[in-house]
Amino acid sequence: MNRFEFARATSVAEARSLRAEKPGSVLKAGGIDVLDHLKEHLVEPPRVIDIKSLPGMKDIAVEADGSLRIGPLATLAQVAAHPGVQKSHRALADACGEAASPQIRNVASIGGNVLQRPRCWYYRLESYKCLKKGGAVCYAIGGENRYHVIFGGGPSYAAHPSNAAVPLVAFGATFTLEGGKGKRTVAAADFFKPPTANPEAENDIGADEVLTEIRVPSAAGMVSSFQSFRERAAFDWPLVDVAAVLRLEGKTVKEARIVLGAVAPIPWRSRKAEDAIVGKTLDEAAALAAARGAIVGAAPLSDNGYKVSLVQTLVRRTLLSLA
Ligand SMILES: Cc1cc2nc3c(=O)[nH]c(=O)nc-3n(C[C@H](O)[C@H](O)[C@H](O)COP(=O)(O)OP(=O)(O)OC[C@H]3O[C@@H](n4cnc5c(N)ncnc54)[C@H](O)[C@@H]3O)c2cc1C
């Protein structure tokens, strides 16, 4: 790890000016991903700015209209354990509660979770100058690609790793960002960016911006579920995630949002799966039709065809858990 200066910001404005003073400086929330980057020489910042104690950015509130206001510095454990989130936005609580391990969830912030960089081993190894580090090649093609994408790949094939991002997209969350041009709000669905325009970025955050708030609309009248499959129950990343948010009238699906995680460079909304169940009775046949819909367009690489079956199984299982 290279030497760097450490600074602690007490306001968003201070965090931004500390970063502007020394270009290349990085913000640290829980520091789980930042520390990995420092240790592997993936970033060599002149200054690391601790934002963990910024006032008001850890709060979680259920508003009068049933929507959620979540400070991006709230830990995954806090979001997972919050009774209001559990009651109204179950899939989000479960996604945060299943990530990583108890130790990590107690430190990692939800903001850092959605902004973490991909787990691709070529990206994570200093010696590979891959597309995500300004190189010319995605080594997953023709390389070891069992954890990579089956949807939306190219030119980079690294999967989006965030658990929390999957239900946030499904619930129609928005992110508030504060930077030099002021405050802006972006829908989670538009925030995550495929690698086509810029393979080095997974999202729309500007170099001078701080994520200051996450808003999740009310889910009154909706039910939701999050299911994840991973090789180990803890200290591991998902192979496939599924978040489903449904509006049911009796047993009939009136509205559906189904989002897949860890299978695409962004949280992947599966409209074919949604179309397969809207207007139908939520039963085994509908869940199976949605599972089949979810894999339309899948383009597995040489070693990750198993993810296609996993998507089918998890979509079916997630929907049946709501039936
Ligand atoms: C063994 C292991 C297993 C894991 N398993 C999972 C898993 O199953 N699912 C999963 O989703 N994740 C998993 N993770 C990843 C982990 O959850 C993330 O690294 C963590 O959530 C990042 O949060 P943080 O607060 O530590 O972010 P940091 O490391 O502090 O920051 C991450 C990035 O976000 C930026 N950042 C953070 N906050 C802000 C902000 N408010 N504004 C602007 N930029 C900001 C930082 O500059 C940095 O670029 C795992 C990690 C490990 C080590």
Side-chain angles (χ1 to χ4, degrees):
M1 197 185 290
N2 280 24
R3 291 183 72 80
F4 56 83
E5 186 188 306
F6 188 75
R8 190 163 280 132
T10 55
S11 67
V12 172
E14 192 187 9
R16 292 192 40 248
S17 73
L18 281 166
R19 186 161 52 175
E21 259 171 36
K22 295 208 173 198
S25 295
V26 299
L27 303 182
K28 182 196 83 66
I32 302 286
D33 206 32
V34 167
L35 214 67
D36 270 359
H37 277 74
L38 292 170
K39 287 190 294 192
E40 299 298 333
H41 300 271
L42 299 176
V43 291
E44 292 185 329
R47 179 183 276 166
V48 172
I49 304 150
D50 188 5
I51 58 167
K52 207 167 58 184
S53 310
L54 293 186
M57 276 178 48
K58 247 190 174 153
D59 302 340
I60 303 171
V62 182
E63 306 283 54
D65 65 355
S67 64
L68 303 178
R69 185 165 43 80
I70 302 177
L73 297 174
T75 64
L76 295 174
Q78 286 167 333
V79 178
H82 193 281
V85 182
Q86 286 182 357
K87 190 165 166 220
S88 59
H89 296 77
R90 183 83 223 180
L92 178 59
D94 287 351
C96 293
E98 281 191 30
S101 69
Q103 296 89 334
I104 291 170
R105 293 195 293 272
N106 278 323
V107 175
S109 65
I110 185 167
N113 186 269
V114 301
L115 294 170
Q116 66 176 299
R117 304 297 313 273
R119 293 310 304 176
C120 170
W121 36 40
Y122 297 112
Y123 168 69
R124 295 276 162 172
L125 276 175
E126 188 191 356
S127 45
Y128 285 90
K129 190 161 165 54
C130 72
L131 265 181
K132 289 218 158 280
K133 290 182 285 200
V137 179
C138 175
Y139 292 97
I141 294 291
E144 295 280 348
N145 52 42
R146 65 180 174 276
Y147 299 131
H148 291 73
V149 305
I150 57 171
F151 295 106
S156 160
Y157 291 80
H160 202 280
S162 165
N163 268 39
V166 179
L168 286 173
V169 170
F171 280 118
T174 57
F175 298 131
T176 302
L177 304 157
E178 286 186 40
K181 291 187 186 145
K183 233 184 211 190
R184 65 186 179 109
T185 298
V186 189
D190 301 326
F191 180 70
F192 300 104
K193 293 290 177 199
T196 34
N198 176 12
E200 290 181 58
E202 292 80 45
N203 55 55
D204 186 30
I205 196 166
D208 69 338
E209 287 183 315
V210 180
L211 172 62
T212 54
E213 193 169 76
I214 300 172
R215 289 266 184 176
V216 194
S218 165
M222 316 282 274
V223 289
S224 69
S225 177
F226 174 85
Q227 308 257 336
S228 183
F229 190 88
R230 53 196 75 217
E231 285 172 312
R232 294 184 303 184
F235 276 104
D236 208 357
W237 280 264
L239 298 173
V240 175
D241 290 326
V242 178
V245 179
L246 307 182
R247 184 184 302 283
L248 297 173
E249 231 174 67
K251 288 186 175 175
T252 307
V253 180
K254 290 296 190 185
E255 195 185 331
R257 268 169 269 144
I258 298 173
V259 180
L260 312 176
V263 291
I266 55 172
W268 190 254
R269 186 161 175 189
S270 181
R271 295 196 190 260
K272 289 256 190 290
E274 296 170 1
D275 292 346
I277 51 167
V278 173
K280 307 272 169 30
T281 300
L282 185 57
D283 58 11
E284 178 73 44
L288 200 60
R292 290 199 182 111
I295 58 163
V296 173
L301 303 169
S302 55
D303 299 331
N304 68 0
Y306 72 93
K307 282 197 177 190
V308 177
S309 324
L310 268 185
V311 165
Q312 278 196 288
T313 304
L314 271 197
V315 167
R316 184 178 149 273
R317 212 178 266 176
T318 308
L319 292 173
L320 288 178
S321 75
L322 294 171

